[in-house]
Amino acid sequence: MDVMKQAGALKERLVDFALSPRFARELDKAFEQSHPGGLVENEVTASMVVDHFALQHRLASGDTVIDRFLRAHPGLSPQERSMLLGWKDVVEGFFEVQGKDRDAVILLNLVDELTYRARSNMGKAAFRTVEKGMFLICRLVPLGEDWLVSAHISLFPAEARAQLLPQAAEVALRNPKLVFRNPEKLATARRMLAEQREVFIELHGAEYIVVPGDQVIPRLNAFMQTLMDRAQPGDTTPPPSSTYPDEVLDADTVAIHFDPETGISLYLDFGLLQELFTNPSLINRRRYREILTSYLRGDDISPAAIRLLAEPDPDNASVVFQKLLKKKGFSWPEHGEALLRRHKARYFETPQLPTTVPVSAAMTEHLRTLDHQTPI
């Protein structure tokens, strides 16, 4: 069978499987999360939600619809299984049409600045109204050396560039993983991160500081101002204003940590845990136990936070975790890393990415123009 026909038939089977009653409850939740209230305004939006659910959504069991489909269809050929597994690698973006090549369109992704040769299981007909300079918002999955359009396409005229650039920039800043498909972007981000970390340590004498919650914004603003002063001496433009939830600003203590892999992280009540790791007997108090447990089990708290607490005195750390876990033989030097891997598996399964995201010169200039137009 022709690879395009095979892909089309396989995708139809996968979507039917995703829409089957066995996934109804989780699909409803996916729609609710994507569109609170459950109101989906058009077929294109619904198609995007279903496509994401079928290819990427993590089910309550931890696997995906593709994983379930593969288990339910053991008779699939090796080529079909390989194609399905490849579809987990979805590219989302805002694409500028660079031209056409037979039954394909050549697309430049504004988010990762990579070029994709994209085809459709509908053939040339899918791109009949597409012209060079137009923009597409769509999803692509691998198809051999090419890419296959997955779900519907939203098509915009060339004149929509000014509206789409800031949207693409926002997506890039919120989802670094999409940008770092481009290895050059990732290398640039890591260089920027290393330079910023040097400035942070130069300012504070260490890779983290512990401050009252109401000092978080002033400290971070001062850090950003220093970065801007060094990058553009003499520029009087103030740094972007920072906003944080009240739980951060009202916290007794917050650690501001410049992680070498990701960048700035904030850890609430860190000072209290520093007391605990200095005086392990405090683990007998409920508040200390609860906060340490939240650090250990919290999916949004990096294992780096616990390492920072344990490394100054590994013996004390051993005692703390012996009491918390009720394991007399626990030793932080021997068992600490395994403990973190068990409770923080997500951080070890995939490389942690920088939170500093380099965007294109066009995006940067456009965003700067919008900032200057914003009334104060």
Side-chain angles (χ1 to χ4, degrees):
M1 183 187 295
D2 173 76
V3 66
M4 185 59 70
K5 290 182 179 178
Q6 184 184 48
L10 196 57
K11 181 64 183 298
E12 185 176 351
R13 291 175 64 190
L14 177 66
V15 171
D16 287 344
F17 185 73
L19 294 174
S20 65
R22 75 192 77 189
F23 299 116
R25 183 174 298 178
E26 293 199 65
L27 181 57
D28 287 344
K29 288 182 180 179
F31 270 100
E32 177 64 29
Q33 289 172 357
S34 177
H35 294 76
L39 181 62
V40 178
E41 60 272 18
N42 55 53
E43 183 181 354
V44 172
T45 302
S47 169
M48 290 289 194
V49 175
V50 171
D51 195 68
H52 183 277
F53 182 81
L55 301 182
Q56 296 167 276
H57 179 79
R58 285 285 173 186
L59 301 168
S61 56
D63 55 4
T64 65
V65 173
I66 288 179
D67 296 324
R68 298 277 190 90
F69 186 86
L70 289 170
R71 291 200 297 271
H73 298 83
L76 291 170
S77 70
Q79 185 179 11
E80 289 173 320
R81 297 182 72 84
S82 177
M83 184 178 292
L84 279 165
L85 290 171
W87 288 353
K88 291 184 178 184
D89 181 23
V90 178
V91 176
E92 301 175 280
F94 296 70
F95 300 89
E96 183 175 8
V97 180
Q98 304 286 287
K100 293 185 178 180
D101 181 15
R102 300 190 298 276
D103 64 341
V105 287
I106 310 303
L107 305 175
L108 174 66
N109 189 351
L110 299 180
V111 175
D112 62 25
E113 297 184 62
L114 294 175
T115 301
Y116 298 85
R117 187 178 187 273
R119 301 167 66 189
S120 168
N121 57 16
M122 296 174 60
K124 289 183 179 181
F127 306 124
R128 185 178 296 116
T129 59
V130 176
E131 298 178 2
K132 184 177 180 179
M134 284 184 163
F135 292 88
L136 308 180
I137 297 179
C138 61
R139 292 161 53 84
L140 306 177
V141 293
L143 184 70
E145 295 183 359
D146 293 331
W147 293 81
L148 176 69
V149 174
S150 189
H152 281 74
I153 294 173
S154 294
L155 181 62
F156 298 87
E159 294 75 26
R161 181 182 183 86
Q163 287 73 44
L164 294 177
L165 271 174
Q167 293 182 48
E170 183 179 351
V171 168
L173 295 174
R174 283 205 323 256
N175 302 277
K177 184 178 179 180
L178 300 181
V179 179
F180 295 141
R181 292 186 59 85
N182 186 333
E184 292 184 4
K185 290 285 187 182
L186 180 56
T188 298
R190 294 206 184 283
R191 286 195 300 270
M192 292 169 62
L193 203 65
E195 293 169 0
Q196 292 174 2
R197 187 167 184 268
E198 287 183 6
V199 173
F200 187 92
I201 293 174
E202 184 179 325
L203 282 175
H204 302 296
E207 69 176 45
Y208 75 96
I209 56 174
V210 182
V211 299
D214 60 8
Q215 284 299 303
V216 168
I217 290 178
R219 292 297 188 106
L220 290 178
N221 284 348
F223 171 60
M224 291 300 299
Q225 186 66 62
T226 302
L227 291 179
M228 292 178 64
D229 290 344
R230 296 193 181 193
Q232 298 177 313
D235 188 345
T236 58
T237 304
S241 58
S242 302
T243 58
Y244 291 95
D246 290 341
E247 64 176 344
V248 173
L249 305 182
D250 295 338
D252 290 334
T253 58
V254 178
I256 304 176
H257 176 219
F258 202 110
D259 188 291
E261 296 296 322
T262 59
I264 293 287
S265 294
L266 303 180
Y267 306 127
L268 277 61
D269 296 315
F270 194 86
L272 183 142
L273 292 182
Q274 284 181 312
E275 295 176 19
L276 170 60
F277 279 78
T278 300
N279 180 7
S281 65
L282 293 173
I283 194 66
N284 295 319
R285 300 185 184 180
R286 181 177 177 179
R287 177 163 168 74
Y288 290 87
R289 287 198 310 275
E290 288 181 344
I291 293 177
L292 180 56
T293 299
S294 71
Y295 264 58
L296 182 61
R297 296 182 179 175
D299 193 49
D300 58 341
I301 299 180
S302 167
I306 296 178
R307 291 194 188 105
L308 293 177
L309 291 162
E311 286 172 358
D313 194 329
D315 290 337
N316 275 1
S318 298
V319 175
V320 167
F321 284 107
Q322 285 172 14
K323 293 179 178 295
L324 180 72
L325 305 172
K326 296 181 172 57
K327 292 184 177 180
K328 292 183 179 180
F330 184 91
S331 164
W332 175 259
E334 293 181 38
H335 310 125
E337 196 65 16
L339 178 70
L340 294 179
R341 286 181 177 274
R342 184 163 66 252
H343 289 281
K344 304 286 187 182
R346 179 173 70 85
Y347 289 88
F348 295 94
E349 289 172 354
T350 57
Q352 296 303 295
L353 298 174
T355 52
T356 297
V357 181
V359 296
S360 68
M363 283 188 188
T364 301
E365 183 58 34
H366 193 78
L367 291 174
R368 184 179 293 119
T369 300
L370 289 181
D371 281 343
H372 289 165
Q373 293 174 350
T374 301
I376 298 177

